[in-house]
Amino acid sequence: MAERKYRELIEQLKTAGLRPTRQRLALGRLLYGENGDMERHVTAEQLHAEAMSAGVRVSLATVYNTLHQFTEAKLLREVVVEPGRSYFDTNVDDHHHFYFEQSGRLQDIPSEELELKSMPEPPAGGRIRRVDVILRVDEEG
Amino acid sequence: MAERKYRELIEQLKTAGLRPTRQRLALGRLLYGENGDMERHVTAEQLHAEAMSAGVRVSLATVYNTLHQFTEAKLLREVVVEPGRSYFDTNVDDHHHFYFEQSGRLQDIPSEELELKSMPEPPAGGRIRRVDVILRVDEEG
DNA sequence: ACTGGAATTAGAGAAATTCTAGGCCATTGA
DNA sequence: TCAATGGCCTAGAATTTCTCTAATTCCAGT
């Protein structure tokens, strides 16, 4: 990961009131590092496995905590596609998703490629916090 | 439930290759019956509890099986809103949802009130099987 | 370096869903 | 109508995903 992004991560953690601990930095590096801007959609289990095989000793509980804290801090976005299967997306810009049911893979759709014609009024006293669009795709063959 | 709907349900089950058993009919009645056309969003647990208190003896496993079979037969539609929380929707027409995070409630949005400006091309070899739009609403106050 | 509060850990616990093996029941064909 | 057949249902165990707890470890400010 670029040095710039690394400092940025530390800054973002501090802003969010999160101490830049060994584990958070390591997980952040795994999430955003190396293949810098690649879109990533990981489950907690996957990230934990990745950490293990990268020699980073971190517990699964911490992975869950960290992913949720990152999500809270808007460094990640959680996408639920099936009961018992949620992904954390490194892309926090406005965008949507293709979901391939057979393989369980997720793919970003830039917001320019899928826009809503009109946004319905939220019921009284509510405000729309987020719009999630999932296009479920069958892979024939 | 209206007699008409009841016969209709038996017909739909047969068409789907499902035997109209005591349990399926009872659950179908709970789902579509009485308050006929009301939109319903139930979890397996909820429906099971409903069945119990209606004096219908049915196991939770059967409720899960039945809900999935009904979904397969397009009598229901499954909506996943959070890890570990999925609803079955009695409305199988094209439509979308408001999700109220605080209360966990789901509300239909008719398809006329929320349309997509354009549909992105699915990746090669895939076809879009379903479009799910969830507007997550914060209830302030 | 020392200390207090936050973070991390392993493991237990919870919650939702699925599986299994055996018994039951709806359908079909005689 | 009746028995056979194959699908269906059940309880409970198992699995999976995620969360909690209590003890330990670590970071930040002095």
Side-chain angles (χ1 to χ4, degrees), chain A residues 32-43:
Chain A
Y32 309 110
E34 314 302 326
N35 340 13
D37 300 315
M38 205 175 78
E39 70 185 56
R40 302 210 57 194
H41 305 100
V42 297
T43 64

Side-chain angles (χ1 to χ4, degrees), chain A:
Chain A
M1 168 155 65
E3 174 70 11
R4 205 195 94 262
K5 285 208 107 185
Y6 188 67
R7 295 231 168 281
E8 203 177 301
L9 176 59
I10 293 183
E11 226 28 68
Q12 287 170 318
L13 289 180
K14 284 194 173 158
T15 303
L18 299 171
R19 303 210 304 221
T21 63
R22 187 184 341 298
Q23 291 86 345
R24 284 175 185 155
L25 290 173
L27 292 177
R29 210 189 294 248
L30 287 171
L31 285 169
Y32 309 110
E34 314 302 326
N35 340 13
D37 300 315
M38 205 175 78
E39 70 185 56
R40 302 210 57 194
H41 305 100
V42 297
T43 64
E45 285 288 351
Q46 276 166 22
L47 184 58
H48 183 241
E50 246 179 76
M52 296 314 258
S53 74
V56 178
R57 278 176 28 269
V58 66
S59 74
L60 183 56
T62 296
V63 174
Y64 273 105
N65 288 338
T66 302
L67 287 173
H68 288 146
Q69 289 154 351
F70 281 19
T71 301
E72 189 67 25
K74 304 203 190 309
L75 300 176
L76 287 177
R77 168 171 165 179
E78 189 170 5
V79 185
V80 190
V81 289
E82 280 182 14
R85 180 174 228 156
S86 72
Y87 289 97
F88 292 86
D89 188 344
T90 54
N91 180 357
V92 292
D93 297 337
D94 238 335
H95 71 286
H96 305 292
H97 293 99
F98 283 120
Y99 177 60
F100 303 94
E101 316 222 273
Q102 278 81 45
S103 60
R105 199 168 57 81
L106 213 52
Q107 181 182 320
D108 283 359
I109 302 173
S111 62
E112 311 86 65
E113 290 181 26
L114 193 166
E115 291 173 79
L116 301 187
K117 203 176 286 179
S118 65
M119 184 72 79
E121 272 308 305
R127 69 172 239 290
I128 294 174
R129 205 180 55 68
R130 202 173 102 188
V131 179
D132 284 341
V133 180
I134 297 180
L135 305 191
R136 289 166 196 277
V137 177
D138 250 355
E139 293 157 297
E140 41 209 32

Side-chain angles (χ1 to χ4, degrees), chain B residues 21-132:
Chain B
T21 63
R22 190 182 334 298
Q23 292 84 347
R24 283 175 186 155
L25 291 173
L27 293 177
R29 210 189 295 247
L30 286 172
L31 286 169
Y32 309 110
E34 313 303 327
N35 340 12
D37 299 317
M38 206 175 79
E39 69 184 57
R40 301 209 58 194
H41 304 100
V42 297
T43 65
E45 286 288 352
Q46 277 167 21
L47 185 58
H48 183 241
E50 245 180 76
M52 295 316 255
S53 73
V56 178
R57 280 176 28 267
V58 66
S59 74
L60 184 56
T62 295
V63 173
Y64 273 106
N65 287 338
T66 302
L67 288 172
H68 288 145
Q69 288 155 352
F70 280 20
T71 301
E72 190 66 26
K74 304 204 191 308
L75 300 176
L76 288 176
R77 170 171 164 178
E78 189 171 3
V79 184
V80 190
V81 289
E82 281 183 12
R85 180 173 230 156
S86 73
Y87 289 97
F88 292 86
D89 188 345
T90 53
N91 180 357
V92 293
D93 297 337
D94 237 336
H95 71 285
H96 305 295
H97 293 98
F98 284 120
Y99 178 59
F100 304 94
E101 317 222 271
Q102 278 80 44
S103 61
R105 197 168 59 82
L106 211 53
Q107 180 181 321
D108 283 359
I109 302 173
S111 63
E112 311 86 64
E113 290 182 26
L114 193 166
E115 292 174 80
L116 302 187
K117 204 175 286 179
S118 65
M119 184 73 78
E121 272 309 304
R127 73 171 235 290
I128 294 175
R129 207 178 54 66
R130 201 173 104 188
V131 179
D132 284 342

